mmCIF file of all heavy atoms in Angstrom:
data_model
loop_
_atom_site.group_PDB
_atom_site.id
_atom_site.type_symbol
_atom_site.label_atom_id
_atom_site.label_comp_id
_atom_site.label_asym_id
_atom_site.label_seq_id
_atom_site.Cartn_x
_atom_site.Cartn_y
_atom_site.Cartn_z
ATOM 1 N N LEU A 779 112.093 103.125 91.916
ATOM 2 C CA LEU A 779 112.909 103.986 91.044
ATOM 3 C C LEU A 779 112.722 105.436 91.428
ATOM 4 O O LEU A 779 113.690 106.195 91.491
ATOM 5 C CB LEU A 779 112.509 103.770 89.586
ATOM 6 C CG LEU A 779 112.853 102.423 88.973
ATOM 7 C CD1 LEU A 779 112.368 102.387 87.512
ATOM 8 C CD2 LEU A 779 114.357 102.120 89.022
ATOM 9 N N LEU A 780 111.461 105.829 91.683
ATOM 10 C CA LEU A 780 111.208 107.221 92.064
ATOM 11 C C LEU A 780 111.799 107.531 93.436
ATOM 12 O O LEU A 780 112.415 108.563 93.657
ATOM 13 C CB LEU A 780 109.725 107.507 92.033
ATOM 14 C CG LEU A 780 109.295 108.937 92.338
ATOM 15 C CD1 LEU A 780 109.985 109.930 91.425
ATOM 16 C CD2 LEU A 780 107.786 109.082 92.245
ATOM 17 N N ASN A 781 111.590 106.622 94.368
ATOM 18 C CA ASN A 781 112.174 106.838 95.712
ATOM 19 C C ASN A 781 113.688 106.972 95.690
ATOM 20 O O ASN A 781 114.259 107.787 96.368
ATOM 21 C CB ASN A 781 111.780 105.689 96.645
ATOM 22 C CG ASN A 781 110.296 105.671 96.980
ATOM 23 O OD1 ASN A 781 109.599 106.646 96.773
ATOM 24 N ND2 ASN A 781 109.802 104.564 97.504
ATOM 25 N N ASP A 782 114.311 106.107 94.854
ATOM 26 C CA ASP A 782 115.786 106.163 94.727
ATOM 27 C C ASP A 782 116.229 107.501 94.137
ATOM 28 O O ASP A 782 117.247 108.076 94.546
ATOM 29 C CB ASP A 782 116.301 105.042 93.840
ATOM 30 C CG ASP A 782 116.184 103.652 94.513
ATOM 31 O OD1 ASP A 782 115.953 103.612 95.725
ATOM 32 O OD2 ASP A 782 116.331 102.656 93.781
ATOM 33 N N ALA A 783 115.465 108.007 93.187
ATOM 34 C CA ALA A 783 115.789 109.304 92.576
ATOM 35 C C ALA A 783 115.690 110.420 93.599
ATOM 36 O O ALA A 783 116.532 111.321 93.677
ATOM 37 C CB ALA A 783 114.889 109.577 91.376
ATOM 38 N N VAL A 784 114.615 110.390 94.409
ATOM 39 C CA VAL A 784 114.450 111.387 95.442
ATOM 40 C C VAL A 784 115.583 111.343 96.498
ATOM 41 O O VAL A 784 116.104 112.378 96.921
ATOM 42 C CB VAL A 784 113.068 111.233 96.142
ATOM 43 C CG1 VAL A 784 112.960 112.125 97.368
ATOM 44 C CG2 VAL A 784 111.935 111.528 95.152
ATOM 45 N N ASP A 785 115.952 110.134 96.863
ATOM 46 C CA ASP A 785 117.014 109.966 97.862
ATOM 47 C C ASP A 785 118.382 110.389 97.358
ATOM 48 O O ASP A 785 119.245 110.806 98.133
ATOM 49 C CB ASP A 785 117.075 108.493 98.318
ATOM 50 C CG ASP A 785 115.894 108.054 99.117
ATOM 51 O OD1 ASP A 785 115.150 108.935 99.629
ATOM 52 O OD2 ASP A 785 115.636 106.830 99.218
ATOM 53 N N ALA A 786 118.549 110.328 96.015
ATOM 54 C CA ALA A 786 119.891 110.550 95.459
ATOM 55 C C ALA A 786 120.135 112.024 95.171
ATOM 56 O O ALA A 786 121.306 112.407 94.970
ATOM 57 C CB ALA A 786 120.067 109.729 94.182
ATOM 58 N N HIS A 787 119.108 112.862 95.118
ATOM 59 C CA HIS A 787 119.285 114.214 94.661
ATOM 60 C C HIS A 787 118.624 115.230 95.563
ATOM 61 O O HIS A 787 117.575 114.938 96.174
ATOM 62 C CB HIS A 787 118.738 114.376 93.221
ATOM 63 C CG HIS A 787 119.378 113.466 92.227
ATOM 64 N ND1 HIS A 787 120.633 113.674 91.728
ATOM 65 C CD2 HIS A 787 118.920 112.329 91.685
ATOM 66 C CE1 HIS A 787 120.942 112.703 90.890
ATOM 67 N NE2 HIS A 787 119.906 111.878 90.817
ATOM 68 N N GLY A 788 119.210 116.421 95.612
ATOM 69 C CA GLY A 788 118.680 117.482 96.458
ATOM 70 C C GLY A 788 117.700 118.408 95.765
ATOM 71 O O GLY A 788 116.974 119.151 96.448
ATOM 72 N N THR A 789 117.689 118.397 94.440
ATOM 73 C CA THR A 789 116.807 119.306 93.729
ATOM 74 C C THR A 789 115.778 118.496 92.927
ATOM 75 O O THR A 789 116.048 117.375 92.441
ATOM 76 C CB THR A 789 117.550 120.208 92.731
ATOM 77 O OG1 THR A 789 118.093 119.395 91.669
ATOM 78 C CG2 THR A 789 118.695 120.919 93.419
ATOM 79 N N VAL A 790 114.608 119.064 92.751
ATOM 80 C CA VAL A 790 113.540 118.377 92.002
ATOM 81 C C VAL A 790 113.945 118.229 90.534
ATOM 82 O O VAL A 790 113.635 117.206 89.916
ATOM 83 C CB VAL A 790 112.223 119.197 92.124
ATOM 84 C CG1 VAL A 790 111.203 118.698 91.120
ATOM 85 C CG2 VAL A 790 111.675 119.090 93.524
ATOM 86 N N VAL A 791 114.659 119.194 90.001
ATOM 87 C CA VAL A 791 115.105 119.116 88.615
ATOM 88 C C VAL A 791 115.942 117.850 88.402
ATOM 89 O O VAL A 791 115.749 117.091 87.455
ATOM 90 C CB VAL A 791 115.900 120.358 88.210
ATOM 91 C CG1 VAL A 791 116.636 120.156 86.885
ATOM 92 C CG2 VAL A 791 114.960 121.541 88.131
ATOM 93 N N ASP A 792 116.878 117.570 89.315
ATOM 94 C CA ASP A 792 117.737 116.406 89.181
ATOM 95 C C ASP A 792 116.950 115.096 89.454
ATOM 96 O O ASP A 792 117.207 114.069 88.817
ATOM 97 C CB ASP A 792 118.913 116.478 90.159
ATOM 98 C CG ASP A 792 119.939 117.510 89.728
ATOM 99 O OD1 ASP A 792 119.990 117.811 88.493
ATOM 100 O OD2 ASP A 792 120.685 118.016 90.560
ATOM 101 N N VAL A 793 115.960 115.169 90.348
ATOM 102 C CA VAL A 793 115.107 113.999 90.573
ATOM 103 C C VAL A 793 114.374 113.642 89.285
ATOM 104 O O VAL A 793 114.282 112.466 88.905
ATOM 105 C CB VAL A 793 114.102 114.283 91.703
ATOM 106 C CG1 VAL A 793 113.044 113.178 91.755
ATOM 107 C CG2 VAL A 793 114.815 114.387 93.046
ATOM 108 N N LEU A 794 113.819 114.626 88.605
ATOM 109 C CA LEU A 794 113.048 114.364 87.390
ATOM 110 C C LEU A 794 113.938 113.788 86.280
ATOM 111 O O LEU A 794 113.550 112.876 85.564
ATOM 112 C CB LEU A 794 112.403 115.666 86.897
ATOM 113 C CG LEU A 794 111.331 116.264 87.814
ATOM 114 C CD1 LEU A 794 110.853 117.618 87.245
ATOM 115 C CD2 LEU A 794 110.178 115.315 87.995
ATOM 116 N N ARG A 795 115.149 114.350 86.153
ATOM 117 C CA ARG A 795 116.047 113.807 85.148
ATOM 118 C C ARG A 795 116.415 112.365 85.449
ATOM 119 O O ARG A 795 116.425 111.490 84.554
ATOM 120 C CB ARG A 795 117.343 114.643 85.136
ATOM 121 C CG ARG A 795 117.207 116.025 84.518
ATOM 122 C CD ARG A 795 118.416 116.863 84.753
ATOM 123 N NE ARG A 795 118.389 118.138 83.996
ATOM 124 C CZ ARG A 795 119.001 119.216 84.358
ATOM 125 N NH1 ARG A 795 119.714 119.224 85.475
ATOM 126 N NH2 ARG A 795 118.918 120.338 83.651
ATOM 127 N N HIS A 796 116.692 112.067 86.706
ATOM 128 C CA HIS A 796 117.088 110.708 87.124
ATOM 129 C C HIS A 796 115.934 109.724 86.903
ATOM 130 O O HIS A 796 116.093 108.662 86.309
ATOM 131 C CB HIS A 796 117.485 110.765 88.608
ATOM 132 C CG HIS A 796 117.904 109.450 89.185
ATOM 133 N ND1 HIS A 796 119.032 109.338 89.987
ATOM 134 C CD2 HIS A 796 117.403 108.201 89.104
ATOM 135 C CE1 HIS A 796 119.170 108.073 90.381
ATOM 136 N NE2 HIS A 796 118.151 107.395 89.840
ATOM 137 N N PHE A 797 114.751 110.091 87.397
ATOM 138 C CA PHE A 797 113.618 109.190 87.315
ATOM 139 C C PHE A 797 113.201 108.940 85.868
ATOM 140 O O PHE A 797 112.906 107.797 85.491
ATOM 141 C CB PHE A 797 112.427 109.714 88.091
ATOM 142 C CG PHE A 797 111.206 108.863 87.949
ATOM 143 C CD1 PHE A 797 111.136 107.597 88.469
ATOM 144 C CD2 PHE A 797 110.125 109.316 87.184
ATOM 145 C CE1 PHE A 797 110.016 106.797 88.303
ATOM 146 C CE2 PHE A 797 108.985 108.528 87.023
ATOM 147 C CZ PHE A 797 108.952 107.239 87.561
ATOM 148 N N ALA A 798 113.169 109.987 85.054
ATOM 149 C CA ALA A 798 112.752 109.786 83.670
ATOM 150 C C ALA A 798 113.655 108.787 82.962
ATOM 151 O O ALA A 798 113.194 107.916 82.229
ATOM 152 C CB ALA A 798 112.743 111.165 82.939
ATOM 153 N N ARG A 799 114.954 108.939 83.141
ATOM 154 C CA ARG A 799 115.901 108.046 82.526
ATOM 155 C C ARG A 799 115.725 106.620 83.002
ATOM 156 O O ARG A 799 115.675 105.664 82.206
ATOM 157 C CB ARG A 799 117.342 108.529 82.809
ATOM 158 C CG ARG A 799 118.413 107.687 82.177
ATOM 159 C CD ARG A 799 119.800 108.244 82.469
ATOM 160 N NE ARG A 799 120.157 108.110 83.883
ATOM 161 C CZ ARG A 799 120.201 109.119 84.721
ATOM 162 N NH1 ARG A 799 119.918 110.362 84.338
ATOM 163 N NH2 ARG A 799 120.540 108.949 86.001
ATOM 164 N N CYS A 800 115.572 106.428 84.315
ATOM 165 C CA CYS A 800 115.427 105.077 84.868
ATOM 166 C C CYS A 800 114.108 104.448 84.518
ATOM 167 O O CYS A 800 113.996 103.246 84.308
ATOM 168 C CB CYS A 800 115.628 105.126 86.383
ATOM 169 S SG CYS A 800 117.311 105.536 86.878
ATOM 170 N N HIS A 801 113.051 105.271 84.444
ATOM 171 C CA HIS A 801 111.717 104.771 84.075
ATOM 172 C C HIS A 801 111.757 104.203 82.635
ATOM 173 O O HIS A 801 111.260 103.072 82.397
ATOM 174 C CB HIS A 801 110.680 105.890 84.174
ATOM 175 C CG HIS A 801 109.330 105.514 83.686
ATOM 176 N ND1 HIS A 801 108.825 105.917 82.444
ATOM 177 C CD2 HIS A 801 108.355 104.741 84.222
ATOM 178 C CE1 HIS A 801 107.620 105.447 82.284
ATOM 179 N NE2 HIS A 801 107.313 104.689 83.331
ATOM 180 N N LEU A 802 112.338 104.940 81.698
ATOM 181 C CA LEU A 802 112.410 104.434 80.340
ATOM 182 C C LEU A 802 113.229 103.161 80.274
ATOM 183 O O LEU A 802 112.868 102.192 79.593
ATOM 184 C CB LEU A 802 113.010 105.515 79.407
ATOM 185 C CG LEU A 802 113.141 105.067 77.940
ATOM 186 C CD1 LEU A 802 111.837 104.588 77.364
ATOM 187 C CD2 LEU A 802 113.709 106.238 77.120
#
Side-chain angles (χ1 to χ4, degrees):
L779 292 179
L780 182 55
N781 290 345
D782 289 347
V784 170
D785 291 342
H787 301 286
T789 69
V790 168
V791 167
D792 287 336
V793 169
L794 296 176
R795 287 171 172 153
H796 181 136
F797 175 70
R799 182 178 67 253
C800 293
H801 174 257
L802 179 55

